[in-house]
Amino acid sequence: MEKVDIIGGGIAGLALAGILDPGKFDVTIYEQRPELPTVGTTLAMWPEAQRALSELGILGAVRSRGAKIKTGALRRPSGEPLLSMEGEGLLGISRPELLRLLDTAVPRSVSRAVARVDKLPGTAGLTVGADGVNSIVRRHFRGPQSEARPTPFLAVRGVIPGTPLPEDIGEYWGRGEIFGLAPAEGGSNWYASFRSDLGPDKVDVAEALEVTRNRYENHASAVQEVLAKARPDTTLAQRIWICPPLIKYSQGNVVLIGDAAHAMTPNLGRGACEALIDAVTLGKLLNGLPSEKALAVYGRKRIMRTQLLRAASSLMGTVALAQGAQPWRDALLKQVGKRVSRTRERASTSN
């Protein structure tokens, strides 16, 4: 049996533990939380991530507990749509529910260690860094220059009861601020991002909610109604952190997956998806190849794609949170929206 230590029991760590062959690997997950979280917002599962969930045998359960994301729009703060978006094929599921389902995919043979890891165990044939943006494993083999850094932006996210109206769904782009609203299983998922001095470490949720309500007091009534219903116990608030670009994800018997490898801003909604794809890709390669070759192939398959997405997400965030250039941005989006509408009309007529 080959020994594998997975540092981090989040999305990436649980998915990898769930895909590794229990007949080939002796797996231990190290996670400092004694229990899975109970509060979290909705994650959008793109088709490739859904295929990864299928490999893990839980796609059906995710579909039954999630919500389809079909339509939405980029909007002005007033609610006026600038650009309509089609989300056919996207599936939304809350982070706690996804973690719970991933946990059910982990074989009973996998050992669990409830502990904070400040240095690598040193007992494994392979050590996997699935320990998020502030990864100890990444720092171990890439050095202090690879440490995460905070952005100027706060992320405040939550869930409330009640399904949003179709005409309210989407992202509201203001001057240096975003507000998003989408359906979730049994309710609505919302999120806000803007520059803030709160943090960068622990952020008081009640204070962050009050700051958010004040920040969005001139937005559309749908936004204000959501924030009026938001409660601290169903809300998360944290500074957005990112890690610098990496040109390799493995060194010797250490490998990175998920946010430990490519933590990105949330603007493309791809962080959780890419973590799942990382884990399933690596696990399948390890199941079928010697470790050294599996790690080399994993790097070829995942580094370029995830680093490009990391850069694209950052660029999208810069555009979405524009301040001085906001009028030109909105005018461009409006023109793009008109062209998309005309294209759809022609396609509909031809059919």
Side-chain angles (χ1 to χ4, degrees):
M1 298 280 281
E2 298 178 45
K3 185 78 170 72
V4 177
D5 285 341
I6 300 175
I7 314 302
I11 290 172
L14 291 175
L16 178 60
I19 203 75
L20 286 173
D21 182 356
K24 181 178 179 181
F25 297 102
D26 175 15
V27 179
T28 300
I29 299 176
Y30 292 81
E31 170 56 49
Q32 62 181 336
R33 296 174 305 191
E35 298 178 348
L36 294 173
T38 58
V39 178
T41 55
T42 298
L43 302 171
M45 296 288 101
W46 292 71
E48 283 181 285
Q50 292 181 46
R51 287 194 286 274
L53 293 169
S54 179
E55 295 273 4
L56 288 160
I58 60 172
L59 179 57
V62 170
R63 283 176 172 164
S64 69
R65 291 164 174 79
K68 291 184 178 179
I69 303 174
K70 295 183 178 180
T71 59
L74 293 180
R75 304 178 183 276
R76 296 186 194 273
S78 63
E80 176 195 351
L82 296 168
L83 174 63
S84 296
M85 300 178 292
E86 297 294 332
E88 197 66 42
L90 295 185
L91 177 64
I93 185 164
S94 75
R95 181 182 292 272
E97 188 65 23
L98 177 61
L99 286 169
R100 191 186 70 78
L101 292 173
L102 287 169
D103 195 60
T104 67
V106 176
R108 292 186 178 181
S109 59
V110 171
S111 301
R112 312 283 188 124
V114 180
R116 175 181 171 83
V117 175
D118 293 316
K119 62 180 182 178
L120 304 195
T123 58
L126 180 66
T127 297
V128 182
D131 49 343
V133 62
N134 291 302
S135 171
I136 295 297
V137 181
R138 183 179 67 242
R139 191 181 191 281
H140 169 79
F141 84 86
R142 298 303 297 167
Q145 70 274 12
S146 71
E147 288 186 351
R149 59 182 185 269
T151 71
F153 302 106
L154 190 69
V156 188
R157 301 168 284 183
V159 290
I160 61 167
T163 305
L165 297 173
E167 59 267 27
D168 295 330
I169 294 172
E171 283 195 345
Y172 299 71
W173 286 13
R175 186 180 177 87
E177 59 203 10
I178 302 172
F179 188 92
L181 180 60
E185 180 66 16
S188 300
N189 175 68
W190 66 270
Y191 52 92
S193 185
F194 51 89
R195 289 179 181 270
S196 173
D197 293 331
L198 295 179
D201 296 313
K202 188 170 179 59
V203 176
D204 182 85
V205 176
E207 182 182 5
L209 258 180
E210 188 60 29
V211 170
T212 305
R213 291 186 182 113
N214 292 334
R215 178 82 188 222
Y216 292 87
E217 63 183 359
N218 294 320
H219 275 56
S221 59
V223 173
Q224 295 184 51
E225 289 169 7
V226 167
L227 291 175
K229 294 177 182 178
R231 304 193 318 270
D233 61 330
T234 55
T235 301
L236 298 174
Q238 60 194 117
R239 184 74 71 90
I240 296 174
W241 292 68
I242 57 173
C243 67
L246 299 180
I247 59 173
K248 59 191 301 187
Y249 289 171
S250 65
Q251 182 171 300
N253 68 335
V254 179
V255 62
L256 303 175
I257 60 177
D259 281 354
H262 45 72
M264 60 187 74
T265 65
N267 301 93
L268 291 181
R270 297 299 295 251
C273 292
E274 298 308 314
L276 281 168
I277 299 167
D278 280 355
V280 170
T281 300
L282 177 61
K284 291 174 66 177
L285 288 169
L286 289 168
N287 287 343
L289 297 172
S291 292
E292 185 176 351
K293 186 172 183 180
L295 296 183
V297 176
Y298 167 72
R300 291 197 295 271
K301 284 178 173 286
R302 299 300 298 155
I303 292 173
M304 181 66 74
R305 173 186 172 86
T306 52
Q307 288 298 316
L308 285 174
L309 281 169
R310 186 194 65 80
S313 189
S314 180
L315 178 60
M316 177 65 82
T318 300
V319 173
L321 292 162
Q323 292 183 298
Q326 178 251 341
W328 290 272
R329 177 202 69 192
D330 290 357
L332 177 60
L333 287 172
K334 191 76 170 178
Q335 289 302 314
V336 172
K338 289 179 180 178
R339 291 189 179 187
V340 170
S341 295
R342 287 196 293 268
T343 300
R344 287 175 181 161
E345 288 175 4
R346 286 197 294 270
S348 178
T349 302
S350 64
N351 289 336

